[in-house]
């Protein structure tokens, strides 16, 4: 265990090599033998031990040599052995991966981008909103993030490392902080017999610590917002189960905003000797980067007793401007535990002092008073330790929390100060870290009950595949870890002249705040609307008030204009930043001043994009349908009229169907579309159909008649120009790709069905055509691509070869695939839907090692693009489709079978209160 042995002499985790160390710190020389840590044998039975479920874990658990199952670890989720190594190492997409023909097409854009990138990074000293030069490299390490919605996040990797940080809003630091660790100490009869950092790392700092945990005897299990790490301690007859809990609670707008995480350690003694067990949680003040360099950081102990519950720990004060914060590492003090601390040590030293302190008696010295401020260039860290007695064949529980208090924030432009959502409940003075810690440690049991009540109907449904249960909940990580910000909205910040006609705008924003999440951790734009179209299902189903708040913000931005001219990189043309009465692409860059300056995206002038306005209309009606909020619909109706009026100009021949402009004028922003197209044409017809419904609800007969006429003409044109008997052609150009099979061609029908339309009297696209198109997509884009094991490729030529006419047509977009799967389920192709989506899950989470960083796209070989992306939240559309399918089945049963209750009509408010069994 290395308790007194220099690191250079410590024995590693190797096959057939028993580890024997001497415990010198407690005054003894007794040898302690740790069991062999052998590499797994190739011939190991695949069904052993009993909890192994090949469908769940596949090869991810093949290296696990332990027998421990852990304490109350659920059967479903993403499970991986800490010794696992992913065989496939992909790289981010870059210019070298572009074909010569596509490189020639984008040569001008590339040169303009390089000029823009140089000006942004070297002159303005800013980070580009999309950095194609310095992509985030592949790191197959991430696990469940800590922290609620909008207060910042800290990701703890599946091997236990704290490795991805988003404390400043929307700005990520991918840095493993070595000092941030859990360490276990076991003592028998007053002697330390085992002391180990619970990390497989072997770093160059803190070398007095015993590193190199044997990963073959530990595994990680994630079911967001909780995660479990199980450690079977070799030779000790002790199993540790660390349960990580974050308050992600559907329909909760208070606790879900808290910047906290809880670690509950359940320790099981399977031996016949009593033990004293200690867990030490060490944490660096800061990340060890440039923000720490000036010094002035300091730590201090605290104790907070309230309502009969006592919490003790350390406050790590990080006063660096512009966004100072305090971190709290805390533990719950009970009648059975002792809490001690080590206020300050140098995390870049050998760490001998704190290690020997713990080794001596399983506790820390707990000096009083605050530490001295750190010196320039010198780091500072602290540690909190909880100790308890562990009886023979018994169990004990040790509870820690991690909280961070950055109440007031400034974005990159430093133009305005904002308060985070949680300050409504804990204050904005920067002194809330002790109260946050106390609250988390006292409330986490209630959070877990609520999480279980929410997830159980899905997890207990035996008709749903195991991979889906993992994907559905684990993909939700992005709602908190998408650079997410949730702000309080001061009353004087809302302009009366713009929002005056929206009666619920002020009450909604002031009661529920302002919500923003990035298009992706690498594509740094808040609320990118063409992508939110897909991801929004998670928000409207789980936190509907945040979806409505976002919609009000989008409506406000639509009515504004910014006539500042700038050059757009794809075309090189000059055009305004934002025109009035068109939906913005995004509400801004966190490195600038979001909401005040929108449209950070400078690739295209999106005022002429064909999909943004339509997606707003479709989402407005979908949101109304699922919430039943008539006031919201009335407020949005004038905005819908305005954006549809702006959209009318794209129907150049007045046949009721819009035409694309011969460039990539929609969410596929590198895939050229010309004339009437399956994707935008379908969205247009769906939006027109929705306008007919909204006009009827709002009592405007003339508008209803107008859009009914457009719909009749548009339907005829769409079928005549695009339907080929098997699917809808990509577009009406003279190019070879015009007959490509687009996986996303039924997006309009998808939203209609999600909104209770699209069949019977409200049918827009002939049902036989939709079903035939989906079957064709499944045959070609799914089954004929990569052996049917990687989801649906965006474009497939009718002779079975991927469409390589653009850099996006031969990609798989995970969020699009989940939306396609939802559409298949809606149309009765449930098996095909699950099979399609399964390919993406297994590729991302099991093969490529991209857990908790699901990318926007990957190709059949070599590359991925844009890690940790918004669009895959669309998997919640699959859950909506399943629930509506179940509702339809119930409604079609005879009354007697329903116990006399009439469920023929799907009540909007009742539809999505919680995932239900299907």
């Amino acid at each position: 265990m290395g308790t007194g042995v220099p690191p250079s002499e410590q024995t590693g985790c190797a096959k057939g090599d028993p580890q024997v160390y001497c415990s010198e710190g407690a005054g003894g020389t007794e040898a302690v033998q740790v069991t062999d840590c052998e590499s797994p044998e190739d011939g190991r039975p695949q069904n052993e031990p009993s909890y192994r479920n090949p469908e769940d874990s596949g090869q991810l658990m093949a290296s696990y040599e332990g027998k421990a199952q852990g304490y109350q670890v659920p059967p479903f989720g993403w499970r991986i052995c800490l010794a696992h190594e992913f065989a496939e190492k992909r790289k981010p997409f870059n210019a070298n991966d572009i074909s010569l023909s596509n490189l020639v097409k984008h040569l001008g854009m590339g040169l303009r981008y390089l000029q823009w990138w140089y000006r942004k990074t070297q002159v303005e000293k800013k980070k580009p909103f999309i950095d194609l030069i310095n992509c985030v490299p592949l790191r197959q390490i991430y696990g469940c993030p800590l922290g609620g919605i909008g207060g910042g996040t800290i990701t703890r990797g599946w091997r236990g490392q704290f490795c991805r940080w988003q404390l400043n809003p929307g700005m990520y630091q991918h840095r493993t902080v070595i000092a941030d660790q859990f360490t276990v100490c076991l003592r028998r009869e007053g002697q330390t017999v085992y002391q180990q950092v619970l990390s497989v790392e072997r770093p160059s700092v803190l070398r007095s610590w015993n590193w190199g945990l044997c990963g073959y005897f530990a595994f990680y299990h994630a079911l967001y917002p909780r995660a479990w790490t199980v450690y079977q301690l070799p030779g000790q007859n002790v199993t540790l189960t660390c349960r990580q809990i974050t308050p992600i609670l559907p329909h909760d707008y208070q606790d879900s905003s808290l910047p906290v995480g809880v670690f509950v350690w359940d320790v099981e003694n399977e031996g016949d000797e009593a033990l004293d067990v200690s867990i030490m949680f060490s944490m660096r003040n800061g990340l060890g980067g440039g923000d720490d360099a000036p010094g002035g950081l300091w730590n201090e102990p605290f104790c907070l007793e309230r309502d009969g519950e006592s919490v003790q720990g350390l406050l790590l004060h990080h006063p660096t401007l512009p966004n100072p914060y305090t971190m709290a590492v805390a533990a719950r003090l009970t009648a059975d535990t002792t809490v001690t601390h080590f206020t300050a040590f140098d995390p870049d030293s050998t760490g001998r002092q704190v290690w020997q302190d713990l080794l001596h008696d399983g506790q820390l010295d707990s000096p009083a008073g605050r530490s001295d401020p750190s010196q320039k260039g010198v780091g500072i860290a602290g540690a909190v330790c909880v100790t308890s007695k562990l009886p023979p064949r018994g169990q004990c529980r040790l509870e820690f929390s991690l909280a961070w208090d950055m109440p007031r924030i400034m974005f990159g432009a430093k133009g305005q100060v904002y308060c985070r959502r949680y300050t409504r409940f804990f204050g904005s003075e920067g002194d809330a870290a002790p109260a946050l810690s106390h609250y988390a440690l006292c409330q986490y049991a209630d959070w877990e009950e609520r999480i279980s009540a929410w997830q159980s109907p899905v997890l207990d449904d035996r008709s749903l595949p195991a991979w889906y249960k993992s994907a559905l909940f684990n993909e939700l990580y992005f709602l908190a870890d998408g650079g997410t910000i949730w702000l309080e909205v001061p009353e004087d910040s809302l302009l009366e002249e713009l929002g005056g006609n929206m009666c619920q705008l002020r009450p909604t924003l002031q009661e529920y705040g302002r919500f923003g999440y990035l298009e992706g951790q690498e594509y740094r734009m808040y609320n990118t609307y063409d992508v939110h179209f897909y991801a929004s299902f998670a928000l409207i189903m789980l936190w509907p008030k945040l979806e409505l708040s976002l919609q009000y913000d989008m409506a406000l931005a639509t009515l504004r204009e910014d006539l500042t001219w700038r050059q757009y990189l794809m075309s090189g043309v000059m055009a305004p930043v934002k025109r009035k009465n068109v939906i913005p692409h995004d509400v801004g860059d966190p490195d600038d001043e979001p909401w005040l300056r929108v449209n950070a995206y400078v690739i295209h002038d999106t005022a002429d994009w064909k999909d943004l306005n339509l997606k707003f209309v479709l989402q407005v009606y979908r949101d109304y349908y699922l919430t039943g909020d008539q006031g919201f619909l009335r407020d949005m109706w004038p905005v819908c009229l305005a954006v549809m009026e702006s959209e009318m100009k794209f129907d150049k021949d007045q046949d009721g169907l819009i035409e694309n402009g011969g460039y990539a004028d929609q969410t596929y922003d590198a895939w050229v579309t010309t004339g009437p197209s399956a994707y935008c044409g379908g969205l247009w017809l769906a939006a027109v159909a929705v306008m007919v419904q909204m006009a009827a609800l709002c009592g405007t007969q003339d508008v209803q008649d107008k859009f009914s006429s457009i719909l009749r003409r548009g339907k005829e044109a769409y079928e005549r120009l695009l339907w080929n008997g098997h699917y809808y052609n990509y577009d009406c150009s003279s190019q070879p790709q015009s007959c490509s099979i687009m996986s996303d061609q039924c997006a309009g029908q998808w939203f209609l069905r999600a909104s209770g339309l699209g069949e019977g009297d409200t049918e827009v696209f002939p049902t036989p055509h939709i079903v035939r198109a989906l079957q064709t997509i499944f045959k070609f884009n799914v089954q004929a691509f990569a052996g049917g094991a990687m989801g649906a490729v965006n474009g497939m030529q009718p002779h079975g070869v991927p469409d390589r006419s653009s850099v996006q047509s031969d990609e798989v977009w995970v969020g699009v695939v989940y939306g396609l799967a939802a559409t298949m389920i809606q149309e009765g192709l449930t098996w095909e839907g699950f099979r399609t989506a399964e390919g993406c899950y297994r590729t991302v989470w099991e093969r490529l090692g991209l857990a908790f960083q699901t990318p926007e796209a990957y190709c059949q070989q070599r590359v991925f693009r844009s890690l940790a992306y918004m669009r895959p939240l669309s998997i919640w559309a699959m859950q909506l489709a399943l629930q509506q399918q179940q509702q339809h089945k119930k409604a079609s049963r005879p009354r007697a079978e329903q116990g006399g209750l009439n469920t023929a009509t799907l009540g909007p408010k009742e539809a999505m209160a919680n995932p239900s069994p299907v």
Side-chain angles (χ1 to χ4, degrees):
M1 57 173 235
T3 53
V5 179
S8 60
E9 300 174 22
Q10 291 178 6
T11 306
C13 176
K15 181 177 181 179
D17 186 11
Q19 302 179 39
V20 182
Y21 301 118
C22 291
S23 173
E24 67 175 22
T29 58
E30 177 185 1
V32 180
Q33 179 164 326
V34 182
T35 59
D36 295 353
C37 185
E38 299 186 0
S39 300
E41 300 296 335
D42 292 339
R44 178 193 177 103
Q46 291 300 302
N47 59 352
E48 184 183 332
S50 59
Y51 63 83
R52 284 280 311 276
N53 185 337
E55 186 182 14
D56 290 352
S57 305
Q59 291 302 306
L60 302 185
M61 284 292 288
S63 299
Y64 186 60
E65 287 294 292
K67 302 297 183 183
Q69 300 183 33
Y71 182 78
Q72 295 184 350
V73 181
F76 299 108
W78 182 72
R79 184 173 294 190
I80 184 168
C81 175
L82 267 59
H84 182 76
E85 292 289 342
F86 289 96
E88 187 166 352
K89 311 287 185 183
R90 291 204 169 194
K91 62 178 184 176
F93 179 87
N94 59 41
N96 295 330
D97 301 298
I98 303 176
S99 67
L100 181 61
S101 60
N102 282 317
L103 198 61
V104 171
K105 293 178 188 176
H106 295 98
L107 185 59
M109 187 272 186
L111 294 174
R112 284 185 288 272
Y113 177 84
L114 288 174
Q115 293 174 333
W116 174 86
W117 183 91
Y118 181 85
R119 184 174 67 252
K120 180 67 67 173
T121 59
Q122 305 303 311
V123 179
E124 300 177 19
K125 304 299 181 183
K126 291 283 190 178
K127 295 182 178 180
F129 76 97
I130 297 179
D131 194 339
L132 301 178
I133 310 298
N134 300 300
C135 296
V136 175
L138 173 67
R139 299 179 75 200
Q140 297 163 315
I141 63 174
Y142 298 114
C144 277
L146 293 154
I149 297 172
T153 45
I154 300 170
T155 296
R156 186 168 183 248
W158 52 269
R159 286 193 172 116
Q161 64 275 64
F162 291 79
C163 52
R164 185 172 64 194
W165 307 75
Q166 188 250 146
L167 300 178
N168 288 311
M171 309 300 291
Y172 277 85
Q173 296 189 62
H174 299 82
R175 180 192 294 267
T176 296
V177 181
I178 291 298
D180 298 354
Q181 300 290 345
F182 287 101
T183 297
V184 61
C185 175
L186 301 180
R187 291 170 60 80
R188 290 187 178 94
E189 299 178 351
Q191 298 288 320
T192 298
V193 296
Y194 184 87
Q195 189 162 300
Q196 172 74 52
V197 184
L198 295 171
S199 168
V200 298
E201 302 270 359
R202 293 183 179 275
S204 59
V205 297
L206 301 175
R207 290 178 60 85
S208 290
W209 296 18
N210 184 33
W211 298 90
L213 174 79
C214 185
Y216 293 111
F217 290 88
F219 69 87
Y220 178 85
H221 184 97
L223 188 66
Y224 187 74
R226 295 189 289 176
W228 294 256
T229 311
V230 177
Y231 306 88
Q232 182 177 322
L233 302 184
Q236 303 305 313
N237 290 323
V238 170
T239 299
L240 310 176
T241 302
C242 176
R243 187 166 78 257
Q244 174 183 313
I245 306 145
T246 290
I248 299 294
L249 308 166
H251 306 280
D252 176 287
Y253 299 90
Q254 176 173 323
D255 288 7
S256 291
S257 72
L258 301 184
V260 298
V262 175
F263 299 95
V264 179
W265 290 83
D266 287 295
V267 187
E268 298 172 279
N269 183 2
E270 298 163 8
D272 296 321
E273 297 180 78
L275 289 166
D276 291 328
V277 59
S278 300
I279 300 287
M280 180 178 75
F281 186 7
S282 55
M283 177 69 63
R284 183 175 189 135
N285 190 335
L287 310 186
D291 287 348
D292 304 353
L297 316 181
W298 52 283
N299 303 342
E300 65 172 332
F302 79 93
C303 177
L304 179 59
E305 186 170 351
R306 182 181 293 170
D307 300 326
E309 296 283 353
S310 182
V311 168
Q312 296 181 15
L314 285 179
L315 300 177
L316 315 181
H317 298 288
H318 196 282
T320 306
L321 298 175
N323 296 325
Y325 66 92
T326 295
M327 192 85 70
V329 179
R332 189 178 193 174
L333 180 63
T334 70
D336 300 320
T337 60
T338 301
V339 179
T340 55
H341 67 268
F342 199 104
T343 307
F345 66 92
D346 183 352
D348 300 312
S349 69
T350 65
R352 180 175 178 81
Q353 186 179 3
V354 65
W355 186 261
Q356 291 295 326
D357 187 5
L358 179 65
L359 183 68
H360 177 69
D361 60 2
Q363 299 185 26
L364 300 175
D365 282 347
S366 299
R370 56 181 286 181
S371 71
D372 294 329
S374 63
Q375 299 300 306
K376 183 176 180 180
V378 179
I380 181 174
V384 174
C385 177
V386 185
T387 304
S388 182
K389 294 190 178 300
L390 186 58
R393 305 288 173 178
Q395 179 200 341
C396 69
R397 173 169 291 181
L398 312 175
E399 302 156 296
F400 291 90
S401 68
L402 181 63
W404 51 99
D405 183 26
M406 184 191 283
R408 296 185 299 274
I409 58 97
M410 300 177 76
F411 292 108
K414 303 177 184 177
Q416 191 168 330
V417 176
Y418 301 87
C419 288
R420 295 189 192 262
R421 168 71 175 183
Y422 77 88
T423 62
R424 172 177 292 218
F425 316 108
F426 284 86
S428 59
E429 299 304 313
D431 57 0
L436 284 165
S437 303
H438 190 281
Y439 187 81
L441 285 167
C442 293
Q443 292 296 316
Y444 79 82
D446 175 68
W447 296 342
E448 289 198 278
E449 287 183 6
R450 294 161 65 184
I451 291 168
S452 293
W454 159 44
Q455 294 183 337
S456 290
V458 172
L459 301 180
D460 294 343
D461 187 345
R462 302 177 72 174
S463 71
L464 297 175
W467 69 262
Y468 172 76
K469 297 172 183 181
S470 172
L472 183 69
F473 294 113
N474 283 326
E475 291 287 11
L476 265 182
Y477 83 95
F478 193 85
L479 269 187
D481 202 18
T484 311
I485 191 72
W486 190 358
L487 301 173
E488 290 288 271
V489 179
E491 187 172 355
D492 59 4
S493 68
L494 299 174
L495 300 178
E496 187 70 39
E497 63 269 22
L498 289 178
N501 294 326
M502 298 185 225
C503 297
Q504 291 185 186
L505 183 147
R506 286 177 177 273
T508 298
L509 289 177
Q510 288 176 4
E511 178 62 24
Y512 297 103
R514 172 164 281 153
F515 173 85
Y517 62 155
L518 299 177
E519 179 177 334
Q521 291 180 9
E522 293 191 81
Y523 286 15
R524 210 181 55 244
M525 297 159 282
Y526 275 132
N527 297 349
T528 299
Y529 202 72
D530 57 300
V531 183
H532 174 70
F533 174 75
Y534 297 81
S536 61
F537 283 88
L539 211 55
I540 191 60
M541 292 171 69
L542 301 175
W543 289 272
K545 297 298 185 181
L546 292 185
E547 167 68 8
L548 299 190
S549 169
L550 186 154
Q551 292 283 63
Y552 275 109
D553 263 336
M554 198 57 61
L556 278 177
T558 299
L559 301 177
R560 294 180 178 136
E561 61 183 7
D562 180 350
L563 299 180
T564 305
W565 283 62
R566 65 182 179 185
Q567 185 183 47
Y568 288 92
L569 301 181
M570 185 66 77
S571 63
V573 303
M574 301 290 293
V577 171
K578 168 69 173 66
R579 298 180 211 172
K580 191 175 181 180
N581 291 342
V582 294
I583 299 296
H585 173 273
D586 58 84
V587 296
D589 178 355
D591 203 28
D592 185 29
E593 201 66 59
W595 285 282
L596 293 181
R597 286 192 284 276
V598 304
N599 279 347
Y601 180 80
V602 295
I603 307 297
H604 291 281
D605 175 12
T606 59
D608 287 331
W609 272 19
K610 308 306 181 291
D611 60 339
L612 287 169
N613 297 328
L614 308 175
K615 288 174 174 176
F616 177 77
V617 173
L618 288 169
Q619 287 184 79
V620 164
Y621 187 79
R622 191 261 334 256
D623 295 346
Y624 157 73
Y625 174 73
L626 295 180
T627 64
D629 192 331
Q630 297 182 357
F632 167 75
L633 182 66
R634 286 193 297 269
D635 284 349
M636 294 296 111
W637 176 237
V639 186
C640 289
L641 284 171
V643 299
M644 288 298 283
E645 187 62 34
S646 297
E647 193 79 10
M648 293 287 188
K649 65 179 178 288
F650 301 130
D651 181 9
K652 299 185 183 302
D653 56 6
Q654 300 299 306
D655 65 349
L657 189 62
I658 62 169
E659 291 88 40
N660 287 88
Y663 70 102
D665 51 357
Q666 25 71 38
T667 195
Y668 298 88
D669 58 353
W671 196 357
V672 172
T673 316
T674 303
S677 68
Y679 182 69
C680 289
L683 292 174
W684 162 257
L685 291 180
V688 171
V690 158
M691 290 296 288
V692 172
Q693 298 296 318
M694 288 194 288
L697 290 165
C698 294
T700 51
Q701 186 63 49
D702 56 334
V703 176
Q704 184 179 356
D705 292 343
K706 172 185 174 180
F707 281 101
S708 295
S709 174
I710 294 172
L711 183 60
R712 283 193 299 272
R713 290 181 285 119
K715 286 164 60 176
E716 187 277 330
Y718 189 78
E719 296 296 323
R720 172 170 46 83
L721 295 171
L722 294 164
W723 179 250
N724 64 20
H726 299 276
Y727 59 93
Y728 293 99
N729 286 334
Y730 176 71
D731 66 10
C732 290
S733 71
S734 58
Q735 300 300 314
Q737 68 267 21
S738 68
C739 61
S740 286
I741 308 164
M742 187 189 196
S743 65
D744 210 5
Q745 62 185 270
C746 298
Q749 174 71 359
W750 170 37
F751 253 73
L752 288 177
R753 290 298 297 269
S755 305
L757 305 173
E759 60 180 338
D761 293 341
T762 60
E763 182 181 88
V764 174
F765 311 95
T767 298
H769 289 188
I770 291 293
V771 172
R772 185 64 182 272
L774 292 172
Q775 290 171 333
T776 301
I777 293 167
F778 184 72
K779 178 180 178 181
F780 284 88
N781 300 59
V782 179
Q783 291 185 308
F785 175 74
M790 294 184 72
V793 67
N794 282 341
M796 179 68 85
Q797 297 181 43
H799 55 280
V801 176
D803 179 350
R804 296 190 172 90
S805 63
S806 85
V807 295
Q808 293 175 339
S809 54
D810 68 343
E811 291 182 323
V812 176
W813 287 12
V814 180
V816 167
V817 173
Y818 288 151
L820 168 63
T823 313
M824 290 175 170
I825 293 169
Q826 289 169 342
E827 303 300 330
L829 302 175
T830 303
W831 180 85
E832 291 85 348
F834 276 113
R835 186 76 183 92
T836 298
E838 180 181 1
C840 279
Y841 174 79
R842 296 205 183 279
T843 298
V844 170
W845 290 77
E846 297 181 355
R847 174 179 157 193
L848 302 185
L850 299 180
F852 298 100
Q853 54 180 330
T854 303
E856 158 74 317
Y858 55 80
C859 292
Q860 185 171 352
Q861 297 176 331
R862 297 192 307 277
V863 299
F864 57 82
R865 183 169 59 80
S866 186
L867 291 173
Y869 199 75
M870 176 198 292
R871 206 183 315 249
L873 285 168
S874 61
I875 193 170
W876 280 84
M878 293 180 65
Q879 185 62 23
L880 176 62
L882 290 165
Q883 291 175 208
Q884 291 178 330
Q885 185 183 77
Q886 183 68 12
Q887 290 282 351
H888 181 75
K889 290 178 181 177
K890 290 181 180 178
S892 63
R893 293 176 191 163
R895 272 181 169 272
E897 293 184 28
Q898 301 176 33
L901 294 176
N902 182 6
T903 59
T905 302
L906 177 64
K909 290 186 179 179
E910 292 78 18
M912 295 307 107
N914 281 295
S916 58
V918 295

